[in-house]
Amino acid sequence: MMDPRALQRLKRDSRMKGLMALCLGLALMPFAALTLLLVVKGLPTLSLGMIFQAPRSGFYLGGGGGIAQAILGTLLLGGGGILLATMLGFPAAIALQREMAPPALIRFARLVLDLLWGVPSIVMGAFVFLLMVSLGVGASLLAGMLTLALVMLPILVRGMDQALSSVALELKEGATAMGATRSEVFRLVVLRQALPGLMTALLLALGRGLGDAASVLFTAGYTDRLPSSLLDPVASLPLAVFYLLGTPDPEVQSRAYAAALILFLMVLAVNLGGRLLGRRWSRHLVD
């Protein structure tokens, strides 16, 4: 016969497991509800013409055409922004390692990056907009890329910093003891071990940038044409959803849900692709 106290502990553990499962279900419920909403309202309107055609006359009043310029603009903004952020963020993450800088400076830099992470993206957009006004330039693809790079930068640097810091010290010391130089230790040991985490940080920042509308509202502008240079204004899917959803025509509003569904699938593809790559590269890591 089981001890009453042991039986009581088992019941308590069972209740706690049930409570945690309920909390997990509640946490996943918004994702399920959002997916269902976008599929139900956006999928009937989604078509190849909407994906591959630019808006025609009267598109926002129910006319023909699609949102190809917004899809391409989102890819250009996100790709350019993550490229600029990586060019600056990867060296910054390396500089945050304990072998590279004094501990006090590292702690201060991490605190600043955490504060920047919490700054609303529209503040970043307003900052770049003030720079544009002072320089006398208008909204453009380049300004939007710079804005998204600022939004992505703290996320990217802190994620890469965590990935590089997670590499075991014993691996570095072992490689050094075997005669490897500092650059060889970083390239052959640290970078290889941190690669899944680095990719996760990059894709996390890219996913944030793809769906950001507030930061590029003042800097990238909006247009129905495809950009021909970095100095041309460019459309984006988040702003396309905003403008389409603000019309009183139900048919046009349904296009907003279709655009949101496309954006949702793009962000989902980025995250799933990152997980698959991370899982593949993690096979060769040393635990």
Side-chain angles (χ1 to χ4, degrees), residues 45 50 55-56 58-70 222 224 236-262:
T45 311
M50 187 173 181
R56 298 175 185 171
F59 174 76
Y60 300 94
L61 298 175
I67 54 171
Q69 94 290 0
Y222 194 84
D224 290 342
S236 60
L237 278 173
L239 289 180
V241 174
F242 174 75
Y243 290 131
L244 290 171
L245 202 58
T247 62
D249 190 343
E251 181 182 351
V252 178
Q253 290 180 0
S254 65
R255 295 177 180 177
Y257 289 104
L261 178 60
I262 295 173

Side-chain angles (χ1 to χ4, degrees), residues 70-274:
I71 297 174
L72 179 60
T74 299
L75 295 175
L76 291 175
L77 287 169
I82 197 64
L83 179 62
L84 294 174
T86 303
M87 290 171 60
L88 181 62
F90 184 57
I94 297 175
L96 287 175
Q97 303 311 299
R98 56 184 173 183
E99 303 93 352
M100 301 295 180
L105 179 59
I106 292 175
R107 289 194 297 269
F108 176 74
R110 287 172 175 169
L111 175 62
V112 171
L113 289 168
D114 290 340
L115 292 174
L116 285 176
W117 194 334
V119 172
S121 60
I122 195 169
V123 176
M124 298 289 191
F127 171 71
V128 177
F129 178 72
L130 288 177
L131 290 179
M132 292 164 53
V133 171
S134 63
L135 295 174
V137 297
S140 65
L141 173 59
L142 180 59
M145 288 179 178
L146 291 174
T147 306
L148 285 185
L150 288 178
V151 173
M152 298 175 183
L153 188 61
I155 305 172
L156 187 70
V157 176
R158 288 297 281 129
M160 288 186 169
D161 174 30
Q162 291 293 331
L164 294 172
S165 301
S166 65
V167 179
L169 182 61
E170 291 80 3
L171 290 175
K172 304 177 187 178
E173 293 176 342
T176 304
M178 294 178 66
T181 64
R182 177 177 290 186
S183 62
E184 289 174 337
V185 170
F186 177 78
R187 179 166 45 89
L188 300 176
V189 177
V190 176
L191 190 59
R192 183 183 178 90
Q193 293 293 311
L195 192 57
L198 295 174
M199 182 57 65
T200 299
L202 189 146
L203 294 175
L204 179 64
L206 178 59
R208 165 73 186 275
L210 287 177
D212 196 286
S215 63
V216 298
L217 181 62
F218 308 119
T219 57
Y222 194 84
T223 177
D224 290 342
R225 296 178 298 173
L226 298 176
S228 57
S229 73
L230 289 174
L231 299 180
D232 288 339
V234 64
S236 60
L237 278 173
L239 289 180
V241 174
F242 174 75
Y243 290 131
L244 290 171
L245 202 58
T247 62
D249 190 343
E251 181 182 351
V252 178
Q253 290 180 0
S254 65
R255 295 177 180 177
Y257 289 104
L261 178 60
I262 295 173
L263 180 60
F264 175 79
L265 292 176
M266 288 171 60
V267 175
L268 186 63
V270 166
N271 284 275
L272 291 179

